[in-house]
Amino acid sequence: MALLPAPAEQELVQRLLARDERALGQLYEQYARNLFTVILRVVQDEAMAQDVLQEGLLKVWLSIGSYEATRGRLFTWMVRVCCNQAIDALRSPRQRFHRRNPSLEAAGAHYSPAPTAFYPEHIGVRELIVQLKPRQREVMDLLYFGGCTQAETAEQLAIPLATVKTRARAALVVLSRMAR
């Protein structure tokens, strides 16, 4: 990349200050490849570097008024803006989460079909359901062992659908406490 000559750079800055969108396009064409390379060295992930580049150029567009030509070249200022954006991205809680929890592909997860049948007795649900209140137990029996939907359960027990949902939720809360 060749830096623009000082007069051309000053003209570009003036056009950016005047919110000339074509100047933003020129800025992108002139500097994006080199800014991307610098950002990639910081974040070490191409997809993230591409995102940071876009965010960095948006920040340049929005904060061009803070650029001072007396303190350095436009490219140098943009590198600083983009590097700060890259560091912020690396420090973000979202990025820390993704570093701690790799994608399923990266973790080597393999696809395997789900079991064709669910057998609650394999995990001891029947034994736990016996300990529920009778009204919760009858709802859970129909939902989990009878294969009924919530609407079908409400119809069979002649109670409102909302009551079925409330009893099922209460039963799940009790069961989760028992399973601990």
Coordinates of all heavy atoms in Angstrom, one line a residue, residues 84-141:
N84 N -7.5 -0.5 18.6 CA -8.3 -0.3 19.8 C -9.6 -1.1 19.7 O -10.0 -1.7 20.6 CB -8.5 1.1 20.1 CG -7.3 1.8 20.6 OD1 -6.3 1.2 21.0 ND2 -7.3 3.2 20.5
Q85 N -10.2 -1.1 18.5 CA -11.4 -1.8 18.3 C -11.2 -3.3 18.4 O -12.0 -4.0 19.0 CB -12.0 -1.4 16.9 CG -13.4 -1.9 16.6 CD -14.4 -1.1 17.4 OE1 -14.2 0.1 17.6 NE2 -15.5 -1.7 17.7
A86 N -10.1 -3.8 17.9 CA -9.7 -5.2 17.9 C -9.5 -5.6 19.4 O -10.0 -6.7 19.8 CB -8.5 -5.5 17.1
I87 N -8.8 -4.8 20.2 CA -8.6 -5.1 21.6 C -9.9 -5.2 22.3 O -10.1 -6.1 23.1 CB -7.6 -4.1 22.2 CG1 -6.2 -4.4 21.6 CG2 -7.5 -4.3 23.7 CD1 -5.2 -3.3 21.8
D88 N -10.7 -4.2 22.1 CA -12.1 -4.2 22.7 C -12.8 -5.4 22.4 O -13.5 -6.0 23.2 CB -12.9 -2.9 22.3 CG -12.3 -1.7 22.9 OD1 -11.5 -1.7 23.8 OD2 -12.7 -0.6 22.4
A89 N -12.8 -5.9 21.1 CA -13.5 -7.1 20.7 C -12.9 -8.3 21.4 O -13.7 -9.2 21.8 CB -13.4 -7.2 19.2
L90 N -11.6 -8.4 21.6 CA -11.0 -9.5 22.3 C -11.4 -9.5 23.7 O -11.5 -10.6 24.3 CB -9.5 -9.5 22.1 CG -8.9 -9.9 20.8 CD1 -7.4 -9.6 20.8 CD2 -9.2 -11.3 20.4
R91 N -11.6 -8.4 24.3 CA -11.9 -8.3 25.7 C -13.4 -8.4 26.0 O -13.8 -8.5 27.2 CB -11.4 -7.0 26.3 CG -9.9 -6.9 26.4 CD -9.5 -5.5 26.9 NE -8.1 -5.4 27.1 CZ -7.5 -4.3 27.2 NH1 -8.1 -3.1 27.3 NH2 -6.2 -4.2 27.3
S92 N -14.2 -8.4 25.0 CA -15.6 -8.4 25.2 C -16.1 -9.7 25.8 O -15.5 -10.8 25.6 CB -16.4 -8.3 23.8 OG -16.3 -9.5 23.1
P93 N -17.1 -9.7 26.7 CA -17.6 -10.9 27.3 C -18.0 -12.0 26.3 O -17.8 -13.2 26.5 CB -18.8 -10.4 28.1 CG -18.7 -9.0 28.3 CD -17.8 -8.5 27.1
R94 N -18.6 -11.5 25.2 CA -19.0 -12.5 24.1 C -17.8 -13.3 23.6 O -17.8 -14.5 23.4 CB -19.7 -11.7 23.0 CG -20.1 -12.6 21.9 CD -20.9 -11.7 20.9 NE -21.3 -12.5 19.7 CZ -21.1 -12.1 18.5 NH1 -20.7 -10.9 18.2 NH2 -21.4 -12.9 17.5
Q95 N -16.7 -12.6 23.4 CA -15.5 -13.2 22.9 C -14.9 -14.2 23.9 O -14.4 -15.2 23.6 CB -14.4 -12.2 22.4 CG -13.2 -12.8 21.8 CD -13.5 -13.6 20.6 OE1 -14.5 -13.3 19.8 NE2 -12.7 -14.6 20.3
R96 N -14.9 -13.7 25.2 CA -14.4 -14.6 26.2 C -15.2 -15.9 26.3 O -14.6 -17.0 26.5 CB -14.4 -13.9 27.6 CG -13.1 -13.0 27.8 CD -13.1 -12.4 29.1 NE -13.6 -11.1 29.0 CZ -14.3 -10.5 29.8 NH1 -14.7 -11.0 30.9 NH2 -14.8 -9.2 29.6
F97 N -16.5 -15.8 26.1 CA -17.4 -16.9 26.1 C -17.0 -17.9 25.0 O -16.9 -19.1 25.2 CB -18.8 -16.5 26.0 CG -19.8 -17.6 25.8 CD1 -20.2 -18.4 26.9 CD2 -20.2 -18.0 24.5 CE1 -21.1 -19.4 26.7 CE2 -21.1 -19.0 24.3 CZ -21.5 -19.8 25.4
H98 N -16.8 -17.3 23.8 CA -16.5 -18.2 22.6 C -15.1 -18.8 22.8 O -14.9 -19.9 22.3 CB -16.6 -17.4 21.3 CG -18.0 -17.1 21.0 ND1 -18.9 -18.1 20.6 CD2 -18.7 -15.9 20.9 CE1 -20.0 -17.5 20.4 NE2 -19.9 -16.2 20.5
R99 N -14.1 -18.1 23.4 CA -12.8 -18.8 23.6 C -12.9 -19.9 24.6 O -12.3 -20.9 24.5 CB -11.8 -17.7 24.2 CG -11.2 -16.9 23.1 CD -9.9 -16.2 23.6 NE -10.1 -15.4 24.8 CZ -10.4 -14.1 24.8 NH1 -10.5 -13.5 23.7 NH2 -10.6 -13.5 25.9
R100 N -13.7 -19.8 25.7 CA -13.9 -20.8 26.7 C -14.7 -22.0 26.1 O -14.6 -23.1 26.6 CB -14.6 -20.3 27.9 CG -13.7 -19.5 28.8 CD -14.3 -19.3 30.2 NE -15.7 -18.9 30.2 CZ -16.1 -17.7 30.2 NH1 -15.3 -16.7 30.3 NH2 -17.4 -17.4 30.2
N101 N -15.6 -21.7 25.2 CA -16.6 -22.7 24.7 C -16.4 -22.8 23.2 O -17.1 -22.1 22.4 CB -18.0 -22.3 25.0 CG -18.2 -22.2 26.5 OD1 -18.0 -23.1 27.2 ND2 -18.6 -21.0 26.9
P102 N -15.5 -23.7 22.7 CA -15.3 -23.8 21.3 C -16.6 -24.3 20.6 O -17.4 -25.0 21.2 CB -14.2 -24.8 21.2 CG -14.2 -25.6 22.4 CD -14.8 -24.7 23.5
S103 N -16.6 -24.0 19.3 CA -17.8 -24.5 18.5 C -17.8 -26.0 18.5 O -16.8 -26.7 18.8 CB -17.7 -24.0 17.1 OG -16.6 -24.6 16.4
L104 N -19.0 -26.6 18.2 CA -19.1 -28.0 18.1 C -18.1 -28.7 17.1 O -17.6 -29.7 17.3 CB -20.5 -28.4 17.8 CG -21.5 -28.1 18.9 CD1 -22.9 -28.5 18.4 CD2 -21.2 -28.8 20.2
E105 N -17.9 -28.0 16.0 CA -17.0 -28.5 15.0 C -15.6 -28.5 15.5 O -14.9 -29.5 15.3 CB -17.1 -27.7 13.7 CG -18.4 -27.7 12.9 CD -19.5 -26.8 13.5 OE1 -19.1 -25.8 14.3 OE2 -20.6 -27.0 13.2
A106 N -15.2 -27.4 16.1 CA -13.8 -27.3 16.7 C -13.6 -28.3 17.8 O -12.5 -28.8 18.0 CB -13.5 -25.9 17.1
A107 N -14.6 -28.6 18.6 CA -14.5 -29.5 19.7 C -14.5 -31.0 19.2 O -14.4 -31.9 20.0 CB -15.7 -29.3 20.7
G108 N -14.8 -31.2 17.9 CA -14.8 -32.6 17.4 C -16.1 -33.3 17.6 O -16.1 -34.5 17.7
A109 N -17.2 -32.6 17.8 CA -18.4 -33.2 18.0 C -18.9 -33.9 16.7 O -18.6 -33.4 15.6 CB -19.5 -32.2 18.4
H110 N -19.5 -35.0 16.8 CA -20.0 -35.8 15.7 C -21.5 -35.9 15.7 O -22.1 -36.0 16.8 CB -19.3 -37.2 15.6 CG -17.9 -37.1 15.6 ND1 -17.2 -36.8 14.4 CD2 -16.9 -37.4 16.5 CE1 -15.9 -36.8 14.6 NE2 -15.7 -37.1 15.9
Y111 N -22.1 -35.9 14.6 CA -23.5 -36.1 14.5 C -23.9 -37.5 14.8 O -23.3 -38.4 14.3 CB -24.0 -35.7 13.1 CG -25.5 -36.0 12.9 CD1 -26.5 -35.2 13.5 CD2 -25.8 -37.2 12.2 CE1 -27.8 -35.6 13.3 CE2 -27.2 -37.5 12.1 CZ -28.2 -36.7 12.6 OH -29.5 -37.1 12.5
S112 N -24.8 -37.7 15.7 CA -25.4 -39.0 15.8 C -26.9 -38.9 16.0 O -27.4 -37.9 16.6 CB -24.8 -39.7 17.1 OG -25.1 -39.0 18.2
P113 N -27.6 -39.8 15.3 CA -29.1 -39.6 15.4 C -29.6 -39.8 16.8 O -29.0 -40.5 17.6 CB -29.6 -40.7 14.5 CG -28.4 -41.7 14.3 CD -27.2 -40.9 14.6
A114 N -30.7 -39.1 17.1 CA -31.3 -39.1 18.4 C -31.9 -40.5 18.6 O -32.3 -41.2 17.6 CB -32.4 -38.0 18.5
P115 N -32.0 -40.9 19.8 CA -32.7 -42.2 20.1 C -34.1 -42.2 19.5 O -34.8 -41.2 19.6 CB -32.7 -42.4 21.6 CG -31.9 -41.3 22.1 CD -31.6 -40.3 21.0
T116 N -34.6 -43.3 19.0 CA -35.9 -43.4 18.5 C -37.0 -43.4 19.5 O -38.2 -43.1 19.3 CB -36.1 -44.6 17.5 OG1 -35.8 -45.7 18.3 CG2 -35.2 -44.4 16.3
A117 N -36.7 -43.7 20.8 CA -37.7 -43.8 21.8 C -37.1 -43.2 23.1 O -35.9 -43.3 23.3 CB -38.1 -45.3 22.0
F118 N -38.0 -42.7 23.9 CA -37.6 -42.1 25.2 C -38.1 -43.0 26.3 O -39.3 -43.3 26.3 CB -38.2 -40.7 25.3 CG -38.0 -40.1 26.7 CD1 -36.8 -39.8 27.2 CD2 -39.1 -39.9 27.5 CE1 -36.6 -39.3 28.5 CE2 -39.0 -39.3 28.8 CZ -37.7 -39.0 29.3
Y119 N -37.2 -43.5 27.1 CA -37.6 -44.4 28.2 C -37.3 -43.7 29.5 O -36.2 -43.8 30.0 CB -36.9 -45.7 28.1 CG -37.2 -46.4 26.8 CD1 -36.2 -46.5 25.8 CD2 -38.4 -47.1 26.6 CE1 -36.5 -47.1 24.6 CE2 -38.6 -47.8 25.5 CZ -37.7 -47.8 24.5 OH -38.0 -48.4 23.3
P120 N -38.3 -43.0 30.1 CA -38.1 -42.3 31.4 C -37.6 -43.1 32.5 O -36.8 -42.7 33.4 CB -39.4 -41.7 31.7 CG -40.2 -41.7 30.5 CD -39.7 -42.8 29.6
E121 N -37.9 -44.4 32.5 CA -37.5 -45.3 33.5 C -36.0 -45.5 33.6 O -35.4 -45.8 34.6 CB -38.2 -46.7 33.5 CG -38.1 -47.4 32.2 CD -39.2 -47.0 31.1 OE1 -40.0 -46.2 31.4 OE2 -39.1 -47.5 30.0
H122 N -35.3 -45.2 32.4 CA -33.9 -45.3 32.4 C -33.2 -44.3 33.3 O -32.1 -44.5 33.7 CB -33.3 -45.2 31.0 CG -33.7 -46.3 30.1 ND1 -33.2 -46.5 28.9 CD2 -34.4 -47.5 30.4 CE1 -33.7 -47.6 28.3 NE2 -34.4 -48.2 29.2
I123 N -33.9 -43.2 33.5 CA -33.3 -42.1 34.4 C -34.0 -42.0 35.7 O -33.7 -41.1 36.5 CB -33.2 -40.8 33.7 CG1 -34.6 -40.3 33.2 CG2 -32.2 -40.8 32.5 CD1 -34.7 -38.9 32.7
G124 N -34.9 -42.9 36.0 CA -35.5 -43.0 37.3 C -36.6 -42.0 37.5 O -37.0 -41.6 38.6
V125 N -37.2 -41.5 36.4 CA -38.3 -40.5 36.5 C -39.5 -41.1 37.2 O -40.1 -40.4 38.1 CB -38.7 -39.9 35.1 CG1 -39.9 -39.0 35.2 CG2 -37.5 -39.2 34.5
R126 N -39.8 -42.3 37.0 CA -41.0 -42.9 37.6 C -40.9 -42.9 39.1 O -41.8 -42.6 39.8 CB -41.2 -44.4 37.1 CG -41.9 -44.5 35.8 CD -42.5 -45.9 35.7 NE -42.9 -46.1 34.3 CZ -44.0 -45.7 33.7 NH1 -44.9 -45.0 34.4 NH2 -44.3 -45.9 32.5
E127 N -39.7 -43.2 39.6 CA -39.5 -43.2 41.1 C -39.6 -41.8 41.7 O -40.1 -41.6 42.8 CB -38.1 -43.8 41.4 CG -38.0 -45.3 41.1 CD -37.7 -45.6 39.7 OE1 -37.4 -44.7 38.9 OE2 -38.0 -46.8 39.3
L128 N -39.2 -40.8 40.9 CA -39.3 -39.5 41.4 C -40.7 -38.9 41.3 O -41.1 -38.2 42.2 CB -38.3 -38.6 40.6 CG -36.8 -38.8 40.7 CD1 -36.1 -37.9 39.7 CD2 -36.4 -38.5 42.1
I129 N -41.5 -39.3 40.3 CA -42.8 -38.8 40.1 C -43.7 -39.3 41.2 O -44.7 -38.6 41.6 CB -43.4 -39.1 38.7 CG1 -42.7 -38.2 37.7 CG2 -44.9 -39.0 38.7 CD1 -43.2 -38.4 36.3
V130 N -43.4 -40.4 41.8 CA -44.3 -40.9 42.9 C -44.3 -40.0 44.1 O -45.2 -39.9 44.8 CB -43.7 -42.3 43.3 CG1 -44.4 -42.9 44.6 CG2 -43.9 -43.3 42.2
Q131 N -43.2 -39.2 44.2 CA -43.1 -38.3 45.3 C -43.8 -37.0 45.1 O -43.9 -36.1 46.0 CB -41.6 -38.0 45.6 CG -40.8 -39.3 46.0 CD -39.4 -39.0 46.1 OE1 -39.0 -38.0 46.6 NE2 -38.5 -39.9 45.6
L132 N -44.4 -36.7 43.9 CA -45.1 -35.5 43.7 C -46.5 -35.5 44.3 O -47.0 -36.5 44.6 CB -45.2 -35.3 42.1 CG -44.0 -35.1 41.3 CD1 -44.3 -35.1 39.9 CD2 -43.3 -33.8 41.7
K133 N -47.1 -34.3 44.4 CA -48.5 -34.2 44.8 C -49.4 -34.9 43.8 O -49.0 -35.0 42.6 CB -48.9 -32.7 44.9 CG -48.2 -32.0 46.0 CD -48.6 -30.5 46.0 CE -47.8 -29.7 47.0 NZ -48.1 -28.3 47.0
P134 N -50.5 -35.5 44.2 CA -51.3 -36.2 43.3 C -51.7 -35.5 42.1 O -51.7 -36.1 41.0 CB -52.6 -36.6 44.2 CG -52.1 -36.5 45.6 CD -51.0 -35.5 45.6
R135 N -52.1 -34.2 42.2 CA -52.5 -33.5 41.0 C -51.3 -33.3 40.0 O -51.5 -33.3 38.8 CB -53.1 -32.1 41.4 CG -54.4 -32.3 42.0 CD -55.0 -31.0 42.4 NE -56.4 -31.1 42.9 CZ -57.2 -30.2 43.2 NH1 -56.8 -28.9 43.1 NH2 -58.4 -30.4 43.7
Q136 N -50.1 -33.0 40.5 CA -49.0 -32.9 39.7 C -48.6 -34.2 39.0 O -48.3 -34.3 37.9 CB -47.8 -32.4 40.5 CG -47.9 -31.0 41.0 CD -46.8 -30.6 41.9 OE1 -46.1 -31.4 42.4 NE2 -46.6 -29.3 42.1
R137 N -48.8 -35.3 39.8 CA -48.4 -36.6 39.3 C -49.3 -37.0 38.2 O -48.8 -37.6 37.2 CB -48.5 -37.7 40.5 CG -48.0 -39.0 40.1 CD -48.0 -40.0 41.2 NE -47.9 -39.5 42.6 CZ -48.8 -39.6 43.5 NH1 -49.9 -40.3 43.3 NH2 -48.6 -39.1 44.7
E138 N -50.6 -36.8 38.3 CA -51.5 -37.2 37.2 C -51.2 -36.4 35.9 O -51.3 -37.0 34.8 CB -53.0 -37.0 37.6 CG -53.5 -35.6 37.7 CD -54.9 -35.5 38.2 OE1 -55.6 -36.6 38.3 OE2 -55.4 -34.4 38.5
V139 N -50.8 -35.1 36.0 CA -50.4 -34.4 34.8 C -49.1 -34.9 34.2 O -49.0 -35.2 33.0 CB -50.3 -32.9 35.2 CG1 -49.6 -32.1 34.1 CG2 -51.6 -32.2 35.5
M140 N -48.2 -35.2 35.1 CA -46.9 -35.7 34.6 C -47.0 -37.1 34.0 O -46.4 -37.5 33.0 CB -45.8 -35.7 35.7 CG -45.5 -34.3 36.2 SD -45.0 -33.1 35.0 CE -43.3 -33.6 34.8
D141 N -47.9 -37.9 34.6 CA -48.1 -39.3 34.0 C -48.7 -39.2 32.6 O -48.2 -39.9 31.7 CB -49.1 -40.0 34.9 CG -48.5 -40.7 36.1 OD1 -47.3 -40.9 36.1 OD2 -49.2 -40.9 37.1

